Amino acid sequence: MPLCYLAAAALLLLGTAVAPCGAQVVVTIEEACRMAASGGAGGVSYDHCVASLASDARSRDAADLHHLAALATRIAVEHAAATEAKIEDLGEVEESPHARARLHHCLDLYNAAADVLRDALDNLHARVYGKASQQLAAALGAAESCEDVWKGEEHVPVAAHDREYGRMALVALGLTSGIA
């Protein structure tokens, strides 16, 4: 067996996706999510990771950890954009100036998070995994910070969006950390 394949097999067992010969190690969604859930990112739900990636048609073209991490990051960008749209819609009909100010603050947080996620995606494409991991970790704070704005209120109007965004951003971080 050529040394390249032995090294690739060893790297797969260690949870790394890049083989030393330049070849990508093929990884299933389940294997990638298992690595992310047991990795250093903490809090990655294996079931959510598998369900989110497997339900996206683009995952058929993602056969290695690099492409799955990029896909998870794209999905997180899409969740951030959907949350921005939801917040904008809520802000247009909200009558309370205090609630509108809270929504505006959340909108600013998600605008910034979407920008950071896009930068992380650029770094993933360039295979600068350490920087991408740092950016993904920074983008995680949007959901929690938005929730903090609503502390003490009975109803958080974007709670479901915050939760889904946070979970997907964490999956992207977990997968990217498995490469870095």
Side-chain angles (χ1 to χ4, degrees), residues 92-136:
E92 289 176 9
V93 297
E94 180 57 55
E95 295 178 10
S96 163
H98 187 62
R100 269 196 316 273
R102 289 176 174 179
L103 288 167
H104 186 346
H105 181 71
C106 287
L107 184 60
D108 288 344
L109 291 167
Y110 275 98
N111 281 326
D115 288 342
V116 171
L117 286 169
R118 287 183 194 98
D119 290 343
L121 190 56
D122 289 343
N123 280 311
L124 274 168
H125 290 307
R127 299 182 187 275
V128 183
Y129 299 116
K131 183 69 173 170
S133 291
Q134 291 171 354
Q135 290 166 322
L136 288 165

Side-chain angles (χ1 to χ4, degrees), residues 5-37:
Y5 293 110
L6 288 174
L11 288 172
L12 180 60
L13 290 173
L14 294 173
T16 307
V18 179
C21 303
Q24 293 292 315
V25 176
V26 175
V27 178
T28 66
I29 290 172
E30 292 79 8
E31 291 167 334
C33 289
R34 197 172 301 111
M35 286 187 281

